[in-house]
Amino acid sequence: MMLRSIFLKSLRDNRAGVLGWGAGFGFIMLVGAAQYPQVIGGAGEMRARMAAEMAKAFQAFSFMLGEITALDTIGGFLTTRILGFVPVMLALWIAVVAIGLIRGEEQQGALDMLLSTPHSRLSVLREKVAALLVVIVAAIAFLSLGLFVGILASGEPLPAIELALAMLNIAAIMAFWAAVGLLVGQLVLVRRTASSITGGIIFGTFLLNNLLEGLPNLKWLGWLMPFHYYSVSKPLVPGRVMEWGAWLALMAFTAGALLMAGLLFVRRDIGSTFRIFPSRAGTRAKEGASTLLGSVFGKSIRDLLWPTFFWSLGLGLYALMLVSTVNEVLGPLRQMLSNGDMGLIGAIIGNMSTPEAYVSYSLFTYLPALLSAFAITQVEGWASDEEEGRLEVLAAMPLPRWQLIAARYAAILLSLLVILGALGAALLLGAAASGVTLDTSRMWGALGASLPLGMVVAAFGLCVAAWLKRPGVAMPVTIGIVVAMFFLELFAPLLGLPDAVLNLSIFHLYGKPMIQGIQWGGTLALVAATLLLAAGSLVGLKKRDIAK
């Protein structure tokens, strides 16, 4: 039934993503709203004091959270705590979905078959865009449900119309980045590369917009950032409104990106890209066609060159920006934490009396999750290679199968080493330029301890892909488990769970090496799990029939 039209087929292909991402972030909305009375408790002066203290803590991380709004109301708390980063993650997901609708199917060869039917390119694009809009609406429905239930559980008043406007604002930024994903897919030949470029643009413009918001002399440049048109509307915050001009501008940009993507799609060759400089592009392609293709390991390295570069650049710039703010934020944080027992706030942010503690919370809390995301992209790449027939070609070579997957492990390990090395160099450079003293042994120890964490995620995903009949299922399974582990560790101070439960999370095994040193027991457990899962993937690949 779901295969009767292009529209329904596109919805069917993305139903698991809608359920996983929508329900997952809906649950985050629910927990964030329900915990408000615990974080900002009491009434009157007590609530005002706790909100002011929390605002000081959040202000130190405004480059990640954006504008800090009135935390003494649940609307202001949700706007600051959740509605800043959730749209970024949803934008990344919907952009990847959009890239897959055209470039992904084109890379698989499915689009050639589709266009051989009596459907014009314009009609194909129109139905896929319509399906994309329904996917966005479905995800927004999950978010709305989770937020509504969480607000009811908190017992705090929040008008339904304001909730609806906030969801409409999230839908607009998701639609914009979906359109950008479609456009980038017309300019880049490989789906994985298009996703990496779009993801880098999303995170980069988000952080840059937050940074410009805190610089009065450069604040006007924020109008060049797409997230500015989202962030100026804060309908959940008392006294703030939905800025319809900014919302309409964002929708106009979305329409422009869709129009441009459509024009390029109907005019270019299938299996190729729209080349701005055809002759020069063709020359470069011919000259570099065989680069790093002399071995399976060389090909694996070549596939990871651009992702490694962009991840190193993005994390390095973030580290530079982070270290440059250490001296500015440590003073207010020390004063706030010295005023007395911070209760749950202190449990969440910990002791911020040293630069190592600040860097630990601001960087090393999220670095393991980011490295896990990088590893998941490699799982997706392996699954795509098998389902699109490239692994079948490699398996036909006179090489034992274990070398195919071992080369992928070696390439991932080398890529992670380069990323972590670049990140460490950026931290040292930023510290020297800002006059910040960091414990370099703790810093390199924290970076080194994160390596097995990234590898265990890759090993788990590749092991699942090697044993399942359809390897593509490995990516959503891995994402679901990693997200559950991350939030188990993130909310551990609030939940009061025993160590026996927390040790199920790879992020808990990683610990806080920047301030507590390497937890050798947890690190060795991660290494052992990596080796066992890698061995399982080798056995699974040896026994399986390559997916057709």
Side-chain angles (χ1 to χ4, degrees):
M1 180 177 179
M2 296 293 288
L3 299 177
R4 292 180 178 178
S5 69
I6 299 171
F7 170 75
L8 293 176
K9 169 66 164 53
S10 300
L11 289 180
R12 176 182 178 273
D13 291 343
N14 291 284
R15 65 190 187 279
V18 172
L19 180 61
W21 285 79
F25 281 98
F27 178 74
I28 294 173
M29 291 283 195
L30 189 155
V31 172
Q35 72 176 192
Y36 176 71
Q38 298 175 320
V39 179
I40 309 290
E45 293 184 2
M46 179 181 292
R47 171 173 288 199
R49 180 179 62 82
M50 294 190 67
E53 291 173 342
M54 177 69 83
K56 291 179 182 178
F58 282 168
Q59 192 64 48
F61 309 103
S62 59
F63 57 91
M64 292 187 295
L65 300 174
E67 181 186 357
I68 310 302
T69 56
L71 300 179
D72 56 348
T73 64
I74 189 171
F77 176 80
L78 291 172
T79 299
T80 299
R81 176 76 171 170
I82 296 178
L83 297 188
F85 80 90
V86 164
V88 180
M89 302 305 297
L90 291 174
L92 176 62
W93 164 65
I94 200 65
V96 172
V97 171
I99 291 169
L101 288 178
I102 297 295
R103 177 55 62 186
E105 292 192 6
E106 193 171 349
Q107 190 174 337
Q108 294 173 350
L111 192 62
D112 299 67
M113 299 178 60
L114 180 59
L115 292 177
S116 67
T117 62
H119 292 91
S120 66
R121 291 195 185 188
L122 188 59
S123 66
V124 169
L125 181 63
R126 184 172 59 247
E127 291 199 42
K128 287 184 175 292
V129 169
L132 195 59
L133 293 177
V134 173
V135 167
I136 293 174
V137 171
I140 292 296
F142 278 107
L143 294 183
S144 302
L145 178 61
L147 189 54
F148 181 73
V149 173
I151 291 171
L152 290 179
S154 71
E156 297 284 336
L158 189 63
I161 184 64
E162 296 177 358
L163 173 61
L165 291 176
M167 294 298 103
L168 185 64
N169 200 29
I170 295 177
I173 194 66
M174 289 179 65
F176 171 77
W177 286 112
V180 171
L182 282 173
L183 178 58
V184 173
Q186 311 307 311
L187 303 172
V188 179
L189 188 61
V190 180
R191 174 183 181 177
R192 190 184 315 166
T193 305
S195 299
S196 298
I197 292 173
T198 308
I201 295 173
I202 290 173
F203 284 115
T205 54
F206 171 71
L207 292 174
L208 186 57
N209 177 66
N210 291 342
L211 179 63
L212 292 173
E213 287 291 332
L215 302 174
N217 294 333
L218 298 177
K219 190 174 182 178
W220 62 273
L221 290 174
W223 289 95
L224 301 177
M225 301 293 111
F227 278 103
H228 174 80
Y229 297 88
Y230 164 80
S231 62
V232 294
S233 294
K234 300 186 185 298
L236 295 182
V237 180
R240 303 290 289 271
V241 296
M242 181 77 170
E243 297 290 348
W244 290 107
W247 187 85
L248 290 173
L250 194 57
M251 297 307 298
F253 298 151
T254 302
L258 283 176
L259 178 61
M260 189 174 298
L263 290 174
L264 298 183
F265 178 60
V266 299
R267 285 170 169 77
R268 68 177 176 84
D269 292 335
I270 295 299
S272 183
T273 62
F274 185 85
R275 296 173 178 174
I276 301 175
F277 305 106
S279 59
R280 293 176 60 188
T283 301
R284 287 196 302 268
K286 180 179 289 188
E287 292 174 351
S290 60
T291 303
L292 289 175
L293 291 181
S295 67
V296 177
F297 176 67
K299 179 187 179 302
S300 300
I301 291 293
R302 192 188 76 157
D303 291 343
L304 285 174
L305 283 178
W306 283 113
T308 301
F309 171 76
F310 282 115
W311 279 78
S312 300
L313 178 63
L315 287 175
L317 291 175
Y318 174 73
L320 283 172
M321 183 172 60
L322 172 68
V323 176
S324 67
T325 64
V326 168
N327 290 328
E328 298 177 8
V329 303
L330 271 186
L333 280 175
R334 286 168 179 165
Q335 181 180 2
M336 179 190 68
L337 294 172
S338 65
N339 288 336
D341 183 15
M342 293 293 296
L344 286 174
I345 300 176
I348 294 173
I349 67 175
N351 180 8
M352 288 289 177
S353 60
T354 65
E356 288 78 15
Y358 175 70
V359 173
S360 176
Y361 181 82
S362 304
L363 175 62
F364 287 97
T365 298
Y366 304 100
L367 178 63
L370 293 173
L371 294 181
S372 298
F374 176 80
I376 289 171
T377 63
Q378 305 316 307
V379 175
E380 189 272 339
W382 174 271
S384 297
D385 284 348
E386 180 171 354
E387 292 188 344
E388 294 167 15
R390 290 185 293 274
L391 186 61
E392 186 177 359
V393 175
L394 293 176
M397 298 172 61
L399 291 172
R401 283 195 176 187
W402 67 265
Q403 288 190 15
L404 303 181
I405 198 166
R408 183 63 61 98
Y409 278 119
I412 294 173
L413 177 62
L414 181 60
S415 181
L416 287 173
L417 287 172
V418 172
I419 292 172
L420 293 173
L423 181 56
L427 285 171
L428 293 178
L429 180 62
S434 304
V436 176
T437 302
L438 287 177
D439 187 332
T440 55
S441 62
R442 286 282 179 91
M443 183 200 75
W444 287 114
L447 291 171
S450 64
L451 181 63
L453 191 146
M455 289 301 299
V456 75
V457 174
F460 175 82
L462 291 177
C463 184
V464 173
W467 285 95
L468 291 180
K469 183 178 181 180
R470 305 304 302 180
V473 180
M475 188 176 71
V477 170
T478 308
I479 289 175
I481 292 177
V482 169
V483 169
M485 289 182 174
F486 178 75
F487 283 105
L488 176 65
E489 175 65 13
L490 187 63
F491 293 118
L494 300 176
L495 300 176
L497 298 175
D499 285 342
V501 177
L502 295 178
N503 284 332
L504 297 175
S505 170
I506 58 175
F507 302 101
H508 185 73
L509 295 175
Y510 172 73
K512 298 179 180 179
M514 189 68 181
I515 54 179
Q516 298 175 351
I518 299 176
Q519 295 186 5
W520 289 107
T523 301
L524 292 175
L526 291 174
V527 172
T530 301
L531 295 176
L532 288 174
L533 290 168
S537 64
L538 293 176
V539 174
L541 182 63
K542 182 178 179 180
K543 293 184 175 183
R544 73 180 280 108
D545 291 333
I546 300 298
K548 298 295 190 292

